[in-house]
Amino acid sequence: VVATAGHILYLDEIQAAMPLYLSKEDSIRAAEAFIDQWIKQNLLYEAAEKNLQESSDIQKMVEDYRQALMVYEYQEQVLLEKLKTEVSDQDIADYYEANKQRFLSSRNLIKGIFIKVPVHSSNLKSIKNLYRKKDEASLEQLDLLCLQHAEIYENFSSDWMSFDDVMDHIPSEIDQSKLLKSKDFLEVEDEHYCYLLRIDEYLLSGNPEPLEFVSHRIKNIIINSHKTSFLHQLEDEMKTEAEKKGQIRYY
């Protein structure tokens, strides 16, 4: 237990503030830092209480904050109890079709395979041959070789990735748009590694991002829109009910 002139800090409060999975030494240091900050904060508050008169402005700010906090907590409770947050794939697709211009990509996107393998690897020739093929048997062989011998192996042939993120791993300055329009493969070597990139699909910046790339964002947009509409309806219904009961008077 720690106490200042007007406040008490209990052990369970200290324990609740501690991050999980700390070592014994780290827990002690974290607890000491928390207690030190708690003491300083309360001493400042006690000094402020003694030296400042609580003005009507402070009282109003406290009441406004209390009211806003209570309203927020009530809204969250009502939303949790009554609002359905399911969004169908069709809802997402319809929103996407109606709002494509809101999702213009600022980056080049690609689907494909990226491999970083030691340049002196005895399996490099086989990997170079296999990563250009798209049949299932070749892909299985590629998986096996790369998992054993590659420094990096990413198969994102079913998922869009930023071309910039891929090029962060490749020591080469290229014109992305020119490469995407003219080549399906990029092979770069330096002193230590060979970098292999297969491009299955691409989308140039300035075009609408693919639906699967933005579907999660769209789902959140739709849910937030539903929340806003629901809360506005709730407010209107509460006002109408209060007017019927004569609880609102205009002077």
Side-chain angles (χ1 to χ4, degrees):
V1 177
V2 182
T4 62
H7 301 87
I8 299 175
L9 177 64
Y10 293 96
L11 178 60
D12 58 346
E13 295 177 276
I14 300 173
Q15 292 173 333
M18 293 299 99
L20 298 175
Y21 312 118
L22 290 181
S23 67
K24 182 178 179 180
E25 293 76 13
D26 288 340
S27 293
I28 293 172
R29 283 193 290 269
E32 289 174 344
F34 179 81
I35 293 169
D36 184 64
Q37 184 58 37
W38 181 89
I39 291 172
K40 292 175 181 177
Q41 182 68 25
N42 279 282
L43 289 175
L44 283 171
Y45 179 65
E46 290 161 10
E49 280 188 314
K50 290 178 182 178
N51 292 281
L52 294 178
Q53 292 186 346
E54 189 168 311
S55 67
S56 58
D57 288 341
I58 292 178
Q59 292 175 349
K60 185 176 186 308
M61 284 189 288
V62 170
E63 180 56 32
D64 287 348
Y65 178 73
R66 179 180 181 278
Q67 184 182 82
L69 182 61
M70 292 288 288
V71 167
Y72 173 79
E73 290 295 331
Y74 175 69
Q75 288 177 331
E76 290 297 301
Q77 178 181 324
V78 172
L79 287 170
L80 184 63
E81 293 174 354
K82 298 184 178 181
L83 180 66
K84 295 181 179 180
T85 56
E86 295 88 358
V87 179
S88 70
D89 291 341
Q90 189 60 52
D91 289 336
I92 293 173
D94 290 344
Y95 187 94
Y96 175 76
E97 287 299 323
N99 298 275
K100 278 187 176 181
Q101 295 306 305
R102 293 184 59 182
F103 301 104
L104 299 182
S105 180
S106 60
R107 307 167 289 175
N108 295 319
L109 305 177
I110 61 172
K111 288 183 178 181
I113 291 176
F114 171 65
I115 305 166
K116 176 183 176 182
V117 62
V119 72
H120 298 301
S121 171
S122 59
N123 296 281
L124 179 57
K125 185 176 180 180
S126 296
I127 291 173
K128 280 187 175 183
N129 179 53
L130 290 169
Y131 97 107
R132 289 175 172 264
K133 299 179 179 180
K134 298 186 179 182
D135 61 281
E136 189 171 342
S138 295
L139 183 58
E140 289 178 356
Q141 292 180 53
L142 181 68
D143 286 344
L144 183 61
L145 283 177
C146 287
L147 289 173
Q148 292 178 339
H149 303 287
E151 182 85 9
I152 300 175
Y153 173 52
E154 294 187 15
N155 185 338
F156 53 99
S157 55
S158 298
D159 301 296
W160 292 99
M161 283 190 65
S162 164
F163 199 5
D164 288 334
D165 290 343
V166 178
M167 289 305 300
D168 284 343
H169 298 287
I170 302 176
S172 176
E173 296 293 332
I174 61 166
D175 183 325
Q176 290 188 10
S177 297
K178 184 177 180 181
L179 172 71
L180 292 173
K181 291 175 181 178
S182 61
K183 293 184 179 181
D184 295 329
F185 301 94
L186 175 65
E187 297 187 6
V188 176
E189 288 189 7
D190 61 18
E191 185 179 354
H192 302 290
Y193 294 100
C194 180
Y195 308 84
L196 307 172
L197 175 63
R198 188 182 90 192
I199 301 168
D200 294 337
E201 295 183 55
Y202 71 87
L203 182 137
L204 296 177
S205 63
N207 290 292
E209 295 173 321
L211 174 58
E212 61 266 36
F213 197 71
V214 296
S215 59
H216 185 70
R217 253 191 294 163
I218 292 175
K219 181 179 180 180
N220 287 333
I221 290 171
I222 293 174
I223 289 174
N224 288 331
S225 177
H226 287 174
K227 284 182 179 180
T228 301
S229 297
F230 178 85
L231 290 175
H232 286 165
Q233 182 181 349
L234 175 66
E235 292 168 0
D236 290 340
E237 289 175 352
M238 292 178 71
K239 180 183 176 185
T240 300
E241 186 65 22
E243 287 175 337
K244 287 181 180 178
K245 293 180 179 179
Q247 295 173 337
I248 302 175
R249 295 183 178 88
Y250 299 94
Y251 298 95

